[in-house]
Amino acid sequence: MSTISLYNPFRRLVLFFEDFSYRKGDLFFQFLSFLIHLLILIPMINFTFQKEVSDIPMILPVEMFIVEEETAAPEFQEEINEIIPTLQEEVIEEVVEVEEAPEITEPVVEETLPEVSEPEPPVKEIVSEIAEPEINDVEEILVDNSSDQANEFVIDEAPEEKIQEPEEIAPAPIENDFEIQLKKKPEPKEIEQPFDNLQIVVKKKPNKKSFNVSTVLKDLENVDQEFKKVQEETEVKQEEVFTEKVAATMTISEIDLLRQQLHSCLNLNVGVANLKEIKPVIFIEVNPDRTVKSAKVVNQERLSDPSFRTAAEAAMRAVNNPDCSPLLLPEDKYDLWKEINFTFDFSWMFD
Amino acid sequence: MIKYLITFIFFAFNSYGALEVTIAQGKVEPTPIAITQVFGEDADTSRYGNTIRQIISNNLTNSGLFYTVNEDLYIQSDNLVEKVPRFEDWKLIKAQFLLSADVTKTDKGIRLRMRLYDVFNAKEIEKLQLTIPDEGLIRRVGHTVSDIVYERITGETGYFDTRIVYVSEVGPLDQRIKRLAIMDQDGHLDSHQFLTDGKNLVLTPRFAPNNQTITYMEYKNNLPRVYIYDLKTGEREIVGDFPGMTFAPRFSPDSKSVVMSFSDSKTANSEIYSMDINTRSITRLTNDSGIDTSPSYSPDGEKIVFNSDRSGSPQLYIMDKDGSNIKRISKGKGVYGNPVWSPRGDLIAFVKNRKPNFYIGVMDTNGDNERIIVQDFALESPAWSPNGRYLIFYRQQKSNLDGTGGETSIHFIDITGYNERVIPTPRDGSDPAWSPLL
């Protein structure tokens, strides 16, 4: 009950005002909380009754369910069997109805079959075309997860399909599926000659076939594809704009990462008296591979002071510590970190 | 908008010159140091070498600031005193420092040569050559080298070439035999030596800053007296024959006077006095109805911190060396006692009793920033290391009705509260005092 009351927002509100009134000890708040009690508790009583009423029918389906298991199970199977053939018949009837001329019907039927079979490859092509970015994404994710052979297969197979299919289609400018269909049909020239009109018929038929679920899906896929292309283009443009701006500087988190790394490499057993005031600065040049090319103490003239020298040497050891090589720096911002001034502040030791 | 502003600010700062990064944190953990074999030319020098190496390794490890890299990991194993080490090999095993030394016999005695390298910065940072007349000083050579390494790396003065004087205890609580004993700061058995025979009870030994003499209290004929023990000659003399009880003598930093407390028959409570050792003239510093005791000089000799119950309970007070300008400094709850001024001058160590425990802590010289370092059933007698970084004190276990228990042991601790360890003594040990650097 306690957990239910905690999740009840009304109860929480009441508790809040209750607590508040007790803390403050203010009569006004006590009166306010009393009012809220009245305002909230009265409707809550109704809610509880409603819940009880709504709970009653919930018991009934449990009994019904047991009856269904015993009696109604076979009935469902029969219904499904009946529905499926009717659907198939309807589809065939529709196709037959579409056929207007008997002369054309026979070859058309023959052709429609290849057509039906033909659209399949384009569908695959489309799928593969659409799938390209998807597969790439998957590859990236898989690579990131550093998974094993199964992923390697995916990576190997996917590009092969992509490469082969575009090679075949490559010479043809892919704009619409209809064009692909038309260009593939001329290949069997023997059939083409006697049925010159077929091309026109064929052009018309797809329009009629567009009522089919598959063609509607194809259109949807095309729309999706175009939308995705546009979306990707805009995303790429946005990324370019973003990276151009961000690349001009090191982000706070990037500098923090570097700082954290150096913290782990700075070994502090320095016990000089005025350490709080000593803040050695180490200037380093960094190689593109993020290793330290050279490091030197900026205030060379102060090295004669033993306290400064001790602190500066500790700082130098941190920079030259193999645990901090390579430095954790963003590779694409070399110009920003090819030279770094590290200021070592030891005052935290005295806080 | 804010994002662009931040970006612009960063761009403005970073578009020219080097990237600026402030490192304001680090890790406080032991620094790895590799100590190569200390090479000798024959069996004797090799033995000396091993001893020295062992002492250096123990000293640096016990300081809590270093740890010795396991020798099995060393890639380069030859004598590096006369050639440049392969720093990359030592970097591989994460040794930040490398110490190499050798021992040879010369006409003047036994010679040690030492070189210390900063591995990460790939350079030599210290070299040393020492000659001692005989092998009796081998342990001191080890301590001296340890001090040089410690000082060069941390920037602090070392504390290894020092000694600890303490009260050795043996027997049941009601028949305790207490003897004065002295040893190296590491408590090595070879350096241990008893100074008194144990016939009389001894208490509160303290080193003189000149390192040659020790003051302590001895009960002779059931009367406590302050003695001065000369470490060179082994002679001892009574500082003065004071009436009543005499407590807690301590030398002034210039070793010319002793400050102590004793109860006068006129005042009937203990007051603090200073005594010129040469003239034996006594000056009374406090005059109050409360009990004043446990005085300790500041390193410059200008001020004295002491313990007094003038406010109703024992608290810590500070006064000028002539007894003027008395100010209370302890501010916390509980009973304070046994104040000791740090050799650095920046802190005062004290013992605090707040039932049911005893605490040892440090505070600033004005009483601010009180910090408890260690707590236990019974803790007593804190003493500073010469560099002011460590404290030694003694712990006493609970005693039983049958007279058993109540064992005492001497402990060492960093003032940060870390790195506590027991200083080994052949018997129980109490009342430790640390010598200045030899």
Side-chain angles (χ1 to χ4, degrees), chain B residues 78-147:
Chain B
D78 39 346
N79 190 352
L80 303 172
V81 173
E82 287 180 343
K83 62 177 172 184
V84 180
R86 294 193 301 269
F87 290 114
E88 288 305 316
D89 286 357
W90 298 99
K91 257 189 189 181
L92 268 179
I93 60 168
K94 306 280 173 69
Q96 291 199 20
F97 297 96
L98 169 65
L99 176 68
S100 194
D102 63 7
V103 182
T104 47
K105 278 180 181 166
T106 62
D107 299 339
K108 292 176 182 174
I110 303 159
R111 186 188 69 179
L112 174 123
R113 295 184 301 169
M114 178 277 278
R115 280 180 198 272
L116 178 66
Y117 301 97
D118 182 335
V119 174
F120 286 3
N121 294 334
K123 63 173 184 180
E124 179 190 292
I125 54 172
E126 193 67 71
K127 59 183 174 186
L128 173 80
Q129 185 170 310
L130 274 174
T131 306
I132 50 167
D134 58 69
E135 63 176 294
L137 291 168
I138 284 293
R139 287 192 58 77
R140 285 203 60 195
V141 169
H143 291 315
T144 307
V145 173
S146 307
D147 280 329

Side-chain angles (χ1 to χ4, degrees), chain A residues 13-28:
Chain A
L13 197 68
V14 169
L15 281 169
F16 170 74
F17 276 102
E18 227 170 32
D19 285 353
F20 196 70
S21 65
Y22 284 132
R23 278 177 206 158
K24 291 284 175 188
D26 196 334
L27 282 171
F28 172 73

Side-chain angles (χ1 to χ4, degrees), chain A residues 171-204:
Chain A
I174 305 158
E175 289 174 2
N176 294 314
D177 292 335
F178 303 109
E179 286 184 11
I180 297 161
Q181 287 172 10
L182 288 169
K183 284 184 179 177
K184 278 189 178 180
K185 277 170 194 170
E187 284 175 6
K189 287 177 184 176
E190 293 175 358
I191 304 162
E192 225 180 301
Q193 286 173 354
F195 304 104
D196 289 338
N197 294 329
L198 269 177
Q199 288 183 351
I200 302 157
V201 176
V202 169
K203 278 180 184 175
K204 284 175 185 175

Side-chain angles (χ1 to χ4, degrees), chain B residues 275-329:
Chain B
M275 190 193 76
D276 191 299
I277 291 173
N278 293 327
T279 62
R280 302 289 166 111
S281 63
I282 294 169
T283 312
R284 180 167 164 168
L285 301 178
T286 59
N287 188 2
D288 189 85
S289 58
I291 297 167
D292 302 328
T293 185
S294 304
S296 170
Y297 275 105
S298 63
D300 59 3
E302 293 298 313
K303 288 185 180 299
I304 295 169
V305 62
F306 66 100
N307 180 26
S308 174
D309 69 349
R310 61 186 65 197
S311 64
S313 71
Q315 299 291 334
L316 303 186
Y317 292 82
I318 204 167
M319 64 178 174
D320 292 347
K321 63 178 177 182
D322 58 359
S324 63
N325 203 11
I326 295 174
K327 277 191 291 187
R328 178 175 161 173
I329 58 163

Side-chain angles (χ1 to χ4, degrees), chain A residues 144-179:
Chain A
D144 286 341
N145 289 335
S146 65
S147 53
D148 304 329
Q149 293 176 350
N151 299 326
E152 286 173 10
F153 286 123
V154 174
I155 295 157
D156 292 341
E157 284 174 4
E160 280 175 9
E161 284 176 5
K162 283 179 219 163
I163 294 157
Q164 283 171 1
E165 285 172 4
E167 276 177 357
E168 290 172 1
I169 301 156
I174 305 158
E175 289 174 2
N176 294 314
D177 292 335
F178 303 109
E179 286 184 11

Side-chain angles (χ1 to χ4, degrees), chain B residues 11-31:
Chain B
F11 183 78
F13 276 103
N14 296 323
S15 56
Y16 58 93
L19 178 68
E20 297 287 340
V21 180
T22 302
I23 306 298
Q25 217 173 314
K27 55 179 182 180
V28 182
E29 58 182 45
T31 306

Side-chain angles (χ1 to χ4, degrees), chain B residues 11 64 67 76 164 182 232 247 279 291 304 336 394 425 433:
Chain B
F11 183 78
Y67 79 86
Q76 195 175 17
I164 289 169
I182 194 166
K232 267 193 174 175
F247 300 104
T279 62
I291 297 167
I304 295 169
Y336 290 81
Y394 81 91
T425 48

